[in-house]
Amino acid sequence: MASTQTLLSPAELAYLHSSLSLTPPIRPDGRSSTQFRPLVAETGILPGTNGSARICFADGTEAIVGVKAEVERTKSALTTTEDETVHRLEGEFVEGLAGAGGNSAGNIDEEDNDGLEGQNEWVELSVEIPGYRDDDSGTVFLSALLTEALLADGNLTKKLRINTRFHWKLYLDILLISPPLSYPLPLLSLTTHLALLSTRLPRLKSEGDEDPFFDDDWAAAPYLYPRENGTSGKATLRPPISLLVMAVGNNIIFDPAKEELAVADVALAVSIGDGKDNNSNAMDTDTRNLRLLSVRTIDPPSRLTPPGVPNATNTAYGAAAGTTAQKQPEARAAESEAVEGVWKPPRGGAKPLVMAALVQKVLEKGGVTDEVLDALDAVELE
Amino acid sequence: MADRRRINGPAGATLPPVYLNEDAQPSDDSKISRTRAANAIRKLYLKTGVTPSASGSAYLEIEAPGGGAVSGLKLSCTVHGPRSLPRSTPFSPHIILSTHVKYAPFATKQRHGYLRDPMERDLGTHLEAALRGAIIADRWPKSGVDVIISIIEGDQDRQTSKSQELGSWETMNALAGCITVASAALADAGIDCVDTIAGGVAALVKDAGDNNSPRIVIDPIPLEHEKILSACCVAYLPTRDEVTNLWFKGDLPASDMELYTQLVETGIQAAKSANLVLVECLHETMG
Amino acid sequence: MPLDTSAYNLALLRVDGRRWNELRRIHAQIRTQPAADGSSYLEMGHTKVMCVVTGPSESGARRVGTTGGAAAGALGSGGGGSRDGDAEVVVSVVLAGFSSVDRKRRGRNDKGILELQSTISSALSSSLHTHLYPRSTISISLHVLSQDGSLLAALLNAATLACIDAGIAMTDYVAACTAGSTSTYAANDEKADPLLDMNHQEEQELPGLTVATLGQSDRVIVLVCESRVQVSRLEGMLAVGVDGCKQVRDIMDKVVREKGRRMLEEGAIEKGVGLEDMDLD
């Protein structure tokens, strides 16, 4: 999807590239390099879901995310289930083996009893983008990216555990309503963030390992991401967000539009979590404790743009048309030389330092991430 | 979507019998510990030109450590092209690269169907991003090239029945292998690249034992360590000193930028080591 | 939970408290998305549908694109009026996973969805003046956010509103609604009352049909009946359905006029010569 061809001519690309490389960069829509597109957000729009959110970007792209949860029996090769004798046999066999192995059985028991760990299969995320099949590589990449960020710290799956025999299965359906005008990652990620924040699961009334039953009162349902003072107030632990950031020349640009991405040297998707450290329970509530969860290179569509032809080699502008034998080495030479003002798609990769700088910029204290999280805090939750 | 065109195995997963090794000491820890140095990768075997019918091909094998507790990685890559595109395709000023990564049905303990699952498609996208930076694409307008990788044997521990599904950390190792083997196959096919491209993995791991603080190792095997905190896979162009694809995953405090940079640096080190084998292999083919 | 049909006769009230000839609340908006050529949002009771229209645009544009050529293979299907001289109407319906009470994942080749798409496509291409846009594509993408019966009717109405917003020339509104009967087929009750606008619960148990008419005329352009019902009851159901369509048409007309008036007031569009003659009440 990132590789969707943009219909810009080499001349336009060259112009865009040079204006974005200026200090400070001049972006086509007049934003500063760290500024996001304005957006309208609302949560709790669908009463039939456990949590939902909708975000509209000013350029007209819109996404809706619905979260639905279902109770599921926890499957495990190691715990015996009453009705499946085959499983039991296997289970006993393996357990016996593990017991012989000594240490590992201890580990497994510990895990079951503590009830701390969740399994990654408990979260299912699907992305629907109009005009693309759901097994299109771009769609798969996006959903893998979003899933990866959600599961990275294991905090989400931990919350889904009911008891040793049952767990919640969380389905996240991400719909892009409008056609993808720009790379939809920031939009989808922010919408998912808000939808998860507004997600509530019915209050559990049963205790221990008995079959779960729940409180009918929806008003009493606790939030999946608990809030500071009961139902109002900020969430203490937040779902991750993924930001798109790109580099052009010496500039780092956040939330690029489609045209800007078309001239990117390198583009990264950086996922950041916000919440308390797994190890230290004492947490200062005022300062955010940002965590880096995932970084992925996005294949910039700039590599697929048509190159410009400098006048020196353009036969239409009086350059001598050589014979084929001569033409070949000349063409090779022309390939490697950069001519001022002529668009040339980037080749090769990015210096490790540039990549590090991009990530650094995202993680900066009091930087863009804080700004985005502050803005999301301001969204009135249902 | 269900695969209806082939005869598939039974839908429910069957657990292969795991026999207790007679020699194994009952007190022996089922985990194997890392015997390599923290900055050493496993031994690689790389050979090009293994599939005569393809324009270019390569085979990569990574040794299985720990006396067969973990299966090694075996990859075969074929490159078809550059070849002309079908008539209906619109004009393209570049070569159109398409990548397929597929686990063989028998590659891991869990059977893989014939249709590519999302994880395999995701690997394919990563590989595409990694290779696209290396190929000089504008030398072949109106043409296409297919890079097809089959993972014949996946990196997976054989002993524990705990992790049924392929852990995400193993896929990073597989991706690094895919990148290296694809580079060799592209060179074998004679497709112009700016540089060789090699993949490397580095991870921040916590070893068993209480007093061990997390350390960074290259080419991690999940079984060898108590826990992998975070890992990164890089696709690296050694002579240009550039990264075409970076995939980091885990949980790091944002304040500790140093650790992240170090991890990526170590990943590059791993890629450099793999590149030595790659260059040696290409030299052999030339000579 | 089975629907208790016996209770109807006591008070002549349906499960949700409506009389036999009452519609559910219909709420509609047009131009919900600034970036799209045409867009609409429609609620019929708890059925909520969004529609985005792109086009008329050059045909074949969908085939251009991502690497590998066919990778961007069009999701939508059910092209209508694909003859060279006419615009093609491509409809794609996405049922969100969270739309029904129990989450159900539906594949892209789900036969039910394909049928919905082709019904909507053929209905709209008979109303749109497709001959005015030769060799072009009008693509309609519909998102179902919440389902509570009368899905096809809601989709048709939303698509009509979005086409109007997109400014595509059309003969008249395609207004749709459902009609049913108060007792099941098995009950064989000759005196059963017809019902207007069925919700999900009624749809599960009772015979019903979806009907769409063209504007204020009695011309039926869609009639879908997928349940078993005595022929003698059909006529009454159809009559009630057609009557409901007229009510739906009036509601949609009001929405469009209101939006048009507001846009004039806000100065979003200039009052043209043609507009002066129009009756903008």
Side-chain angles (χ1 to χ4, degrees), chain A residues 46-47 49 59-60 62 64-66 68 70 126 128-129 131-136 171 173 175-178 181, chain C residues 33-35 48 50 52 62 64-67 71-73 75 94 96-98 100-103 105 108 141 143 145:
Chain A
L46 298 166
T49 59
D59 66 354
E62 178 177 357
I64 289 181
V65 173
K68 249 181 142 56
E70 283 173 10
S126 76
E128 191 89 51
I129 289 171
Y132 289 86
R133 297 157 55 120
D134 53 2
D135 55 357
D136 180 73
Y171 295 94
D173 288 282
L175 299 188
L176 188 68
I177 302 287
S178 56
L181 301 172
Chain C
Q33 286 205 312
K48 297 174 184 173
M50 277 184 120
V52 174
R62 311 187 102 227
V64 184
T66 62
T67 49
L75 226 156
V94 176
F98 48 78
S100 46
V101 177
D102 295 314
R103 188 186 183 278
R105 182 98 182 104
R108 91 195 95 94
S141 108
H143 293 266
L145 303 180

Side-chain angles (χ1 to χ4, degrees), chain A residues 113-156:
Chain A
N113 294 340
D114 282 1
L116 283 176
E117 296 296 315
Q119 284 168 27
N120 287 354
E121 302 99 89
W122 296 354
V123 177
E124 196 178 304
L125 185 141
S126 76
V127 177
E128 191 89 51
I129 289 171
Y132 289 86
R133 297 157 55 120
D134 53 2
D135 55 357
D136 180 73
S137 58
T139 317
V140 170
F141 187 77
L142 268 176
S143 60
L145 205 169
L146 293 168
T147 316
E148 187 174 277
L150 279 178
L151 300 178
D153 52 5
N155 280 336
L156 176 61

